[in-house]
């Protein structure tokens, strides 16, 4: 499992997470943290590279924060 750079979005820290599957594709997740609390979201699409999975996770995490969809 890889966890690339942490990105600041407002008061939140958004961290994309990727994980290789047994079939050679990659899963995407994102951690959204504020203070001592964080939420992790896992996504359904599979990706052909860790980089694409990470970009997708980061984009989704940013949207959650910008749209205030964490409540």
């Amino acid at each position: 499992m890889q966890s690339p750079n942490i990105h600041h979005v407002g008061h939140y820290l958004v961290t994309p997470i990727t994980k290789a599957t047994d079939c050679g594709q990659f899963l995407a997740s994102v951690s959204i943290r504020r203070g001592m609390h964080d939420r992790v979201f896992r996504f359904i699409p599979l990706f052909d590279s860790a980089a694409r999975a990470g970009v997708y996770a980061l984009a989704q995490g940013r949207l959650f924060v910008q749209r205030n969809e964490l409540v």
Side-chain angles (χ1 to χ4, degrees):
M1 189 179 317
Q2 292 183 348
S3 170
N5 298 327
I6 296 170
H7 299 267
H8 294 270
V9 181
H11 296 287
Y12 294 90
L13 299 176
V14 178
T15 307
I17 303 164
T18 62
K19 182 179 178 184
T21 65
D22 293 337
C23 64
Q25 293 185 307
F26 294 85
L27 297 167
S29 302
V30 67
S31 167
I32 301 174
R33 176 178 290 235
R34 182 171 183 187
M36 297 287 295
H37 304 281
D38 73 318
R39 296 183 68 182
V40 176
F41 298 90
R42 287 187 261 172
F43 304 106
I44 293 173
L46 293 174
F47 298 89
D48 59 355
S49 74
R52 287 186 180 174
V55 167
Y56 180 84
L58 179 59
Q60 294 301 308
R62 285 182 173 171
L63 281 175
F64 286 155
V65 172
Q66 290 169 352
R67 294 179 181 169
N68 199 20
E69 294 179 350
L70 301 172
V71 180

